mmCIF file of all heavy atoms in Angstrom:
data_model
loop_
_atom_site.group_PDB
_atom_site.id
_atom_site.type_symbol
_atom_site.label_atom_id
_atom_site.label_comp_id
_atom_site.label_asym_id
_atom_site.label_seq_id
_atom_site.Cartn_x
_atom_site.Cartn_y
_atom_site.Cartn_z
ATOM 1 N N THR C 123 112.979 117.160 89.805
ATOM 2 C CA THR C 123 113.324 118.591 89.747
ATOM 3 C C THR C 123 113.402 119.207 91.140
ATOM 4 O O THR C 123 113.928 120.308 91.308
ATOM 5 C CB THR C 123 112.290 119.393 88.932
ATOM 6 O OG1 THR C 123 111.031 119.351 89.614
ATOM 7 C CG2 THR C 123 112.138 118.843 87.525
ATOM 8 N N ILE C 124 112.861 118.518 92.110
ATOM 9 C CA ILE C 124 112.686 119.159 93.424
ATOM 10 C C ILE C 124 114.001 119.557 94.101
ATOM 11 O O ILE C 124 114.111 120.673 94.613
ATOM 12 C CB ILE C 124 111.769 118.296 94.334
ATOM 13 C CG1 ILE C 124 110.403 118.148 93.646
ATOM 14 C CG2 ILE C 124 111.601 118.938 95.706
ATOM 15 C CD1 ILE C 124 109.439 117.215 94.335
ATOM 16 N N PRO C 125 115.029 118.699 94.080
ATOM 17 C CA PRO C 125 116.280 119.133 94.714
ATOM 18 C C PRO C 125 116.825 120.428 94.116
ATOM 19 O O PRO C 125 117.403 121.255 94.829
ATOM 20 C CB PRO C 125 117.237 117.959 94.449
ATOM 21 C CG PRO C 125 116.347 116.780 94.293
ATOM 22 C CD PRO C 125 115.108 117.301 93.620
ATOM 23 N N VAL C 126 116.629 120.604 92.814
ATOM 24 C CA VAL C 126 117.093 121.840 92.172
ATOM 25 C C VAL C 126 116.303 123.027 92.705
ATOM 26 O O VAL C 126 116.863 124.065 93.093
ATOM 27 C CB VAL C 126 116.934 121.753 90.638
ATOM 28 C CG1 VAL C 126 117.444 123.028 89.985
ATOM 29 C CG2 VAL C 126 117.632 120.523 90.081
ATOM 30 N N LEU C 127 114.995 122.876 92.728
ATOM 31 C CA LEU C 127 114.146 123.973 93.185
ATOM 32 C C LEU C 127 114.399 124.283 94.663
ATOM 33 O O LEU C 127 114.377 125.439 95.084
ATOM 34 C CB LEU C 127 112.673 123.627 92.959
ATOM 35 C CG LEU C 127 112.298 123.320 91.506
ATOM 36 C CD1 LEU C 127 110.794 123.088 91.379
ATOM 37 C CD2 LEU C 127 112.720 124.447 90.574
ATOM 38 N N VAL C 128 114.652 123.238 95.419
ATOM 39 C CA VAL C 128 114.947 123.415 96.840
ATOM 40 C C VAL C 128 116.264 124.188 97.000
ATOM 41 O O VAL C 128 116.355 125.134 97.788
ATOM 42 C CB VAL C 128 115.004 122.034 97.537
ATOM 43 C CG1 VAL C 128 115.681 122.141 98.889
ATOM 44 C CG2 VAL C 128 113.604 121.462 97.699
ATOM 45 N N ALA C 129 117.254 123.759 96.218
ATOM 46 C CA ALA C 129 118.555 124.421 96.328
ATOM 47 C C ALA C 129 118.439 125.898 96.009
ATOM 48 O O ALA C 129 119.161 126.724 96.567
ATOM 49 C CB ALA C 129 119.557 123.753 95.377
ATOM 50 N N MET C 130 117.544 126.233 95.106
ATOM 51 C CA MET C 130 117.425 127.625 94.671
ATOM 52 C C MET C 130 116.366 128.407 95.448
ATOM 53 O O MET C 130 116.065 129.545 95.096
ATOM 54 C CB MET C 130 117.131 127.663 93.175
ATOM 55 C CG MET C 130 118.250 127.011 92.379
ATOM 56 S SD MET C 130 118.384 127.616 90.717
ATOM 57 C CE MET C 130 117.392 126.485 89.869
ATOM 58 N N ASP C 131 115.800 127.781 96.462
ATOM 59 C CA ASP C 131 114.741 128.441 97.233
ATOM 60 C C ASP C 131 113.623 128.947 96.337
ATOM 61 O O ASP C 131 113.211 130.111 96.426
ATOM 62 C CB ASP C 131 115.307 129.613 98.040
ATOM 63 C CG ASP C 131 115.976 129.131 99.310
ATOM 64 O OD1 ASP C 131 115.633 128.025 99.780
ATOM 65 O OD2 ASP C 131 116.848 129.857 99.824
ATOM 66 N N ALA C 132 113.154 128.101 95.481
ATOM 67 C CA ALA C 132 112.061 128.504 94.593
ATOM 68 C C ALA C 132 110.822 128.843 95.409
ATOM 69 O O ALA C 132 110.640 128.359 96.528
ATOM 70 C CB ALA C 132 111.753 127.374 93.620
ATOM 71 N N VAL C 133 110.025 129.705 94.834
ATOM 72 C CA VAL C 133 108.766 130.098 95.475
ATOM 73 C C VAL C 133 107.621 129.751 94.529
ATOM 74 O O VAL C 133 107.721 129.946 93.324
ATOM 75 C CB VAL C 133 108.772 131.612 95.780
ATOM 76 C CG1 VAL C 133 107.402 132.058 96.282
ATOM 77 C CG2 VAL C 133 109.854 131.931 96.801
ATOM 78 N N LEU C 134 106.566 129.205 95.105
ATOM 79 C CA LEU C 134 105.419 128.823 94.282
ATOM 80 C C LEU C 134 104.323 129.874 94.406
ATOM 81 O O LEU C 134 104.016 130.331 95.515
ATOM 82 C CB LEU C 134 104.852 127.470 94.738
ATOM 83 C CG LEU C 134 105.665 126.233 94.372
ATOM 84 C CD1 LEU C 134 106.903 126.112 95.242
ATOM 85 C CD2 LEU C 134 104.795 124.991 94.505
ATOM 86 N N GLN C 135 103.762 130.244 93.277
ATOM 87 C CA GLN C 135 102.604 131.121 93.287
ATOM 88 C C GLN C 135 101.358 130.242 93.181
ATOM 89 O O GLN C 135 101.173 129.543 92.185
ATOM 90 C CB GLN C 135 102.655 132.121 92.121
ATOM 91 C CG GLN C 135 103.672 133.248 92.311
ATOM 92 C CD GLN C 135 105.109 132.793 92.069
ATOM 93 O OE1 GLN C 135 105.385 132.082 91.109
ATOM 94 N NE2 GLN C 135 106.025 133.181 92.959
ATOM 95 N N LEU C 136 100.564 130.278 94.251
ATOM 96 C CA LEU C 136 99.348 129.466 94.282
ATOM 97 C C LEU C 136 98.157 130.382 94.064
ATOM 98 O O LEU C 136 98.154 131.545 94.488
ATOM 99 C CB LEU C 136 99.217 128.748 95.621
ATOM 100 C CG LEU C 136 100.453 127.985 96.100
ATOM 101 C CD1 LEU C 136 100.155 127.256 97.418
ATOM 102 C CD2 LEU C 136 100.918 126.980 95.057
ATOM 103 N N LYS C 137 97.155 129.830 93.437
ATOM 104 C CA LYS C 137 96.012 130.685 93.127
ATOM 105 C C LYS C 137 94.715 129.916 93.338
ATOM 106 O O LYS C 137 94.605 128.747 92.970
ATOM 107 C CB LYS C 137 96.115 131.140 91.670
ATOM 108 C CG LYS C 137 95.083 132.191 91.282
ATOM 109 C CD LYS C 137 95.351 132.704 89.870
ATOM 110 C CE LYS C 137 94.216 133.553 89.351
ATOM 111 N NZ LYS C 137 93.992 134.763 90.138
ATOM 112 N N SER C 138 93.769 130.619 93.946
ATOM 113 C CA SER C 138 92.409 130.088 94.001
ATOM 114 C C SER C 138 91.499 131.189 93.485
ATOM 115 O O SER C 138 91.969 132.275 93.134
ATOM 116 C CB SER C 138 92.046 129.717 95.439
ATOM 117 O OG SER C 138 91.910 130.897 96.208
ATOM 118 N N SER C 139 90.206 130.940 93.492
ATOM 119 C CA SER C 139 89.290 131.962 92.961
ATOM 120 C C SER C 139 89.269 133.196 93.846
ATOM 121 O O SER C 139 88.889 134.269 93.423
ATOM 122 C CB SER C 139 87.891 131.379 92.823
ATOM 123 O OG SER C 139 87.409 131.044 94.107
ATOM 124 N N THR C 140 89.708 133.020 95.081
ATOM 125 C CA THR C 140 89.613 134.155 95.993
ATOM 126 C C THR C 140 90.958 134.715 96.426
ATOM 127 O O THR C 140 91.030 135.802 96.973
ATOM 128 C CB THR C 140 88.864 133.736 97.283
ATOM 129 O OG1 THR C 140 89.530 132.589 97.818
ATOM 130 C CG2 THR C 140 87.414 133.402 96.995
ATOM 131 N N GLU C 141 92.012 133.956 96.214
ATOM 132 C CA GLU C 141 93.271 134.375 96.820
ATOM 133 C C GLU C 141 94.466 134.007 95.954
ATOM 134 O O GLU C 141 94.478 132.959 95.317
ATOM 135 C CB GLU C 141 93.422 133.676 98.189
ATOM 136 C CG GLU C 141 94.489 134.281 99.065
ATOM 137 C CD GLU C 141 94.805 133.416 100.295
ATOM 138 O OE1 GLU C 141 94.197 132.341 100.473
ATOM 139 O OE2 GLU C 141 95.677 133.831 101.065
ATOM 140 N N ASN C 142 95.472 134.873 95.955
ATOM 141 C CA ASN C 142 96.775 134.529 95.415
ATOM 142 C C ASN C 142 97.729 134.497 96.591
ATOM 143 O O ASN C 142 97.700 135.393 97.424
ATOM 144 C CB ASN C 142 97.286 135.608 94.461
ATOM 145 C CG ASN C 142 96.412 135.694 93.216
ATOM 146 O OD1 ASN C 142 95.655 134.774 92.905
ATOM 147 N ND2 ASN C 142 96.508 136.816 92.523
ATOM 148 N N ARG C 143 98.535 133.461 96.672
ATOM 149 C CA ARG C 143 99.530 133.487 97.741
ATOM 150 C C ARG C 143 100.827 132.849 97.260
ATOM 151 O O ARG C 143 100.848 132.122 96.262
ATOM 152 C CB ARG C 143 99.023 132.807 99.016
ATOM 153 C CG ARG C 143 98.720 131.347 98.859
ATOM 154 C CD ARG C 143 98.268 130.729 100.192
ATOM 155 N NE ARG C 143 98.021 129.302 100.006
ATOM 156 C CZ ARG C 143 98.562 128.350 100.746
ATOM 157 N NH1 ARG C 143 99.368 128.640 101.751
ATOM 158 N NH2 ARG C 143 98.288 127.071 100.510
ATOM 159 N N GLU C 144 101.879 133.163 97.978
ATOM 160 C CA GLU C 144 103.179 132.615 97.646
ATOM 161 C C GLU C 144 103.633 131.702 98.772
ATOM 162 O O GLU C 144 103.449 132.020 99.951
ATOM 163 C CB GLU C 144 104.198 133.752 97.479
ATOM 164 C CG GLU C 144 103.917 134.604 96.265
ATOM 165 C CD GLU C 144 105.181 135.216 95.693
ATOM 166 O OE1 GLU C 144 106.089 135.513 96.484
ATOM 167 O OE2 GLU C 144 105.257 135.368 94.460
ATOM 168 N N VAL C 145 104.209 130.576 98.401
ATOM 169 C CA VAL C 145 104.717 129.644 99.409
ATOM 170 C C VAL C 145 106.113 129.225 99.000
ATOM 171 O O VAL C 145 106.337 128.872 97.833
ATOM 172 C CB VAL C 145 103.800 128.399 99.516
ATOM 173 C CG1 VAL C 145 104.352 127.413 100.538
ATOM 174 C CG2 VAL C 145 102.385 128.798 99.880
ATOM 175 N N ALA C 146 107.012 129.282 99.934
ATOM 176 C CA ALA C 146 108.377 128.804 99.654
ATOM 177 C C ALA C 146 108.328 127.296 99.480
ATOM 178 O O ALA C 146 107.537 126.610 100.143
ATOM 179 C CB ALA C 146 109.303 129.165 100.806
ATOM 180 N N ILE C 147 109.202 126.799 98.616
ATOM 181 C CA ILE C 147 109.155 125.354 98.337
ATOM 182 C C ILE C 147 109.338 124.532 99.610
ATOM 183 O O ILE C 147 108.722 123.474 99.772
ATOM 184 C CB ILE C 147 110.168 124.961 97.251
ATOM 185 C CG1 ILE C 147 109.970 123.481 96.890
ATOM 186 C CG2 ILE C 147 111.609 125.243 97.653
ATOM 187 C CD1 ILE C 147 110.472 123.085 95.563
ATOM 188 N N ALA C 148 110.159 125.019 100.518
ATOM 189 C CA ALA C 148 110.399 124.282 101.762
ATOM 190 C C ALA C 148 109.110 124.132 102.575
ATOM 191 O O ALA C 148 108.960 123.162 103.325
ATOM 192 C CB ALA C 148 111.464 124.979 102.588
ATOM 193 N N ASP C 149 108.203 125.079 102.385
ATOM 194 C CA ASP C 149 106.930 124.983 103.112
ATOM 195 C C ASP C 149 105.853 124.293 102.285
ATOM 196 O O ASP C 149 104.826 123.873 102.809
ATOM 197 C CB ASP C 149 106.423 126.384 103.481
ATOM 198 C CG ASP C 149 107.420 127.107 104.362
ATOM 199 O OD1 ASP C 149 108.036 126.434 105.215
ATOM 200 O OD2 ASP C 149 107.592 128.328 104.177
ATOM 201 N N PHE C 150 106.109 124.231 100.992
ATOM 202 C CA PHE C 150 105.065 123.665 100.126
ATOM 203 C C PHE C 150 104.976 122.149 100.252
ATOM 204 O O PHE C 150 103.907 121.574 100.362
ATOM 205 C CB PHE C 150 105.328 124.036 98.654
ATOM 206 C CG PHE C 150 104.309 123.464 97.723
ATOM 207 C CD1 PHE C 150 103.048 124.053 97.614
ATOM 208 C CD2 PHE C 150 104.572 122.328 96.973
ATOM 209 C CE1 PHE C 150 102.082 123.515 96.773
ATOM 210 C CE2 PHE C 150 103.612 121.786 96.129
ATOM 211 C CZ PHE C 150 102.366 122.377 96.031
ATOM 212 N N ILE C 151 106.152 121.505 100.217
ATOM 213 C CA ILE C 151 106.138 120.045 100.342
ATOM 214 C C ILE C 151 106.166 119.719 101.826
ATOM 215 O O ILE C 151 107.109 120.043 102.532
ATOM 216 C CB ILE C 151 107.320 119.416 99.590
ATOM 217 C CG1 ILE C 151 107.238 119.811 98.113
ATOM 218 C CG2 ILE C 151 107.312 117.906 99.748
ATOM 219 C CD1 ILE C 151 108.419 119.368 97.297
ATOM 220 N N THR C 152 105.105 119.076 102.289
ATOM 221 C CA THR C 152 104.942 118.913 103.731
ATOM 222 C C THR C 152 105.283 117.513 104.210
ATOM 223 O O THR C 152 105.381 117.259 105.403
ATOM 224 C CB THR C 152 103.494 119.248 104.132
ATOM 225 O OG1 THR C 152 102.613 118.479 103.287
ATOM 226 C CG2 THR C 152 103.205 120.731 103.928
ATOM 227 N N GLY C 153 105.436 116.580 103.277
ATOM 228 C CA GLY C 153 105.762 115.209 103.683
ATOM 229 C C GLY C 153 105.804 114.349 102.438
ATOM 230 O O GLY C 153 105.811 114.872 101.322
ATOM 231 N N VAL C 154 105.858 113.030 102.656
ATOM 232 C CA VAL C 154 105.914 112.126 101.505
ATOM 233 C C VAL C 154 104.612 112.243 100.725
ATOM 234 O O VAL C 154 103.545 111.896 101.221
ATOM 235 C CB VAL C 154 106.138 110.671 101.962
ATOM 236 C CG1 VAL C 154 106.087 109.723 100.777
ATOM 237 C CG2 VAL C 154 107.459 110.542 102.694
ATOM 238 N N LYS C 155 104.717 112.801 99.546
ATOM 239 C CA LYS C 155 103.573 112.970 98.650
ATOM 240 C C LYS C 155 102.439 113.789 99.257
ATOM 241 O O LYS C 155 101.265 113.561 98.969
ATOM 242 C CB LYS C 155 103.062 111.606 98.157
ATOM 243 C CG LYS C 155 104.146 110.870 97.364
ATOM 244 C CD LYS C 155 103.588 109.736 96.541
ATOM 245 C CE LYS C 155 104.687 109.121 95.682
ATOM 246 N NZ LYS C 155 104.230 108.075 94.818
ATOM 247 N N THR C 156 102.802 114.735 100.111
ATOM 248 C CA THR C 156 101.771 115.666 100.594
ATOM 249 C C THR C 156 102.274 117.091 100.373
ATOM 250 O O THR C 156 103.471 117.356 100.404
ATOM 251 C CB THR C 156 101.453 115.487 102.093
ATOM 252 O OG1 THR C 156 102.660 115.686 102.841
ATOM 253 C CG2 THR C 156 100.899 114.111 102.382
ATOM 254 N N ASN C 157 101.328 118.005 100.127
ATOM 255 C CA ASN C 157 101.715 119.383 99.850
ATOM 256 C C ASN C 157 100.763 120.353 100.527
ATOM 257 O O ASN C 157 99.767 119.948 101.123
ATOM 258 C CB ASN C 157 101.782 119.626 98.333
ATOM 259 C CG ASN C 157 100.424 119.457 97.688
ATOM 260 O OD1 ASN C 157 99.408 119.964 98.193
ATOM 261 N ND2 ASN C 157 100.372 118.740 96.568
ATOM 262 N N ALA C 158 101.104 121.624 100.426
ATOM 263 C CA ALA C 158 100.363 122.657 101.153
ATOM 264 C C ALA C 158 99.201 123.237 100.361
ATOM 265 O O ALA C 158 98.604 124.234 100.784
ATOM 266 C CB ALA C 158 101.336 123.773 101.559
ATOM 267 N N LEU C 159 98.891 122.618 99.222
ATOM 268 C CA LEU C 159 97.760 123.137 98.444
ATOM 269 C C LEU C 159 96.482 123.016 99.252
ATOM 270 O O LEU C 159 96.207 121.981 99.849
ATOM 271 C CB LEU C 159 97.591 122.353 97.140
ATOM 272 C CG LEU C 159 98.485 122.716 95.954
ATOM 273 C CD1 LEU C 159 98.302 121.692 94.842
ATOM 274 C CD2 LEU C 159 98.182 124.127 95.448
ATOM 275 N N GLN C 160 95.706 124.104 99.245
ATOM 276 C CA GLN C 160 94.420 124.051 99.931
ATOM 277 C C GLN C 160 93.325 123.792 98.910
ATOM 278 O O GLN C 160 93.523 123.952 97.712
ATOM 279 C CB GLN C 160 94.179 125.371 100.655
ATOM 280 C CG GLN C 160 95.145 125.511 101.823
ATOM 281 C CD GLN C 160 95.115 126.875 102.466
ATOM 282 O OE1 GLN C 160 94.357 127.752 102.039
ATOM 283 N NE2 GLN C 160 95.937 127.067 103.470
ATOM 284 N N ALA C 161 92.185 123.412 99.427
ATOM 285 C CA ALA C 161 91.065 123.140 98.525
ATOM 286 C C ALA C 161 90.845 124.354 97.631
ATOM 287 O O ALA C 161 90.861 125.493 98.102
ATOM 288 C CB ALA C 161 89.812 122.838 99.333
ATOM 289 N N GLY C 162 90.683 124.098 96.367
ATOM 290 C CA GLY C 162 90.399 125.194 95.442
ATOM 291 C C GLY C 162 91.633 125.859 94.868
ATOM 292 O O GLY C 162 91.528 126.731 94.015
ATOM 293 N N GLU C 163 92.828 125.422 95.310
ATOM 294 C CA GLU C 163 94.048 126.070 94.849
ATOM 295 C C GLU C 163 94.755 125.269 93.763
ATOM 296 O O GLU C 163 94.749 124.037 93.798
ATOM 297 C CB GLU C 163 95.039 126.208 96.020
ATOM 298 C CG GLU C 163 94.993 127.538 96.692
ATOM 299 C CD GLU C 163 96.044 127.644 97.805
ATOM 300 O OE1 GLU C 163 96.603 126.615 98.237
ATOM 301 O OE2 GLU C 163 96.284 128.766 98.238
ATOM 302 N N ILE C 164 95.398 125.990 92.870
ATOM 303 C CA ILE C 164 96.307 125.335 91.937
ATOM 304 C C ILE C 164 97.663 126.035 92.002
ATOM 305 O O ILE C 164 97.773 127.155 92.501
ATOM 306 C CB ILE C 164 95.793 125.361 90.480
ATOM 307 C CG1 ILE C 164 95.668 126.805 89.975
ATOM 308 C CG2 ILE C 164 94.482 124.617 90.349
ATOM 309 C CD1 ILE C 164 95.499 126.905 88.476
ATOM 310 N N ILE C 165 98.684 125.346 91.494
ATOM 311 C CA ILE C 165 99.991 125.991 91.360
ATOM 312 C C ILE C 165 99.954 126.762 90.050
ATOM 313 O O ILE C 165 99.708 126.184 88.989
ATOM 314 C CB ILE C 165 101.136 124.965 91.300
ATOM 315 C CG1 ILE C 165 101.064 124.001 92.488
ATOM 316 C CG2 ILE C 165 102.497 125.676 91.249
ATOM 317 C CD1 ILE C 165 102.059 122.835 92.380
ATOM 318 N N GLN C 166 100.198 128.060 90.144
ATOM 319 C CA GLN C 166 100.177 128.855 88.925
ATOM 320 C C GLN C 166 101.577 128.951 88.321
ATOM 321 O O GLN C 166 101.747 128.746 87.134
ATOM 322 C CB GLN C 166 99.661 130.259 89.232
ATOM 323 C CG GLN C 166 99.557 131.117 87.987
ATOM 324 C CD GLN C 166 98.797 132.388 88.246
ATOM 325 O OE1 GLN C 166 98.729 132.879 89.379
ATOM 326 N NE2 GLN C 166 98.190 132.940 87.225
ATOM 327 N N SER C 167 102.533 129.256 89.150
ATOM 328 C CA SER C 167 103.892 129.404 88.621
ATOM 329 C C SER C 167 104.914 129.120 89.704
ATOM 330 O O SER C 167 104.584 129.006 90.888
ATOM 331 C CB SER C 167 104.091 130.818 88.062
ATOM 332 O OG SER C 167 103.777 131.768 89.052
ATOM 333 N N ILE C 168 106.132 128.996 89.238
ATOM 334 C CA ILE C 168 107.256 128.738 90.143
ATOM 335 C C ILE C 168 108.333 129.754 89.787
ATOM 336 O O ILE C 168 108.700 129.883 88.622
ATOM 337 C CB ILE C 168 107.803 127.305 89.970
ATOM 338 C CG1 ILE C 168 106.713 126.279 90.281
ATOM 339 C CG2 ILE C 168 109.009 127.056 90.851
ATOM 340 C CD1 ILE C 168 106.101 125.632 89.090
#
Side-chain angles (χ1 to χ4, degrees):
Chain C
T123 65
I124 300 174
V126 181
L127 302 184
V128 164
M130 299 206 268
D131 280 337
V133 173
L134 286 74
Q135 286 76 44
L136 310 183
K137 188 174 170 62
S138 70
S139 64
T140 54
E141 195 191 0
N142 294 342
R143 63 178 182 127
E144 292 209 327
V145 178
I147 186 158
D149 300 323
F150 179 77
I151 301 174
T152 52
V154 176
K155 299 196 175 183
T156 59
N157 63 46
L159 279 172
Q160 291 171 0
E163 264 183 345
I164 62 166
I165 307 172
Q166 183 169 25
S167 55
I168 300 104

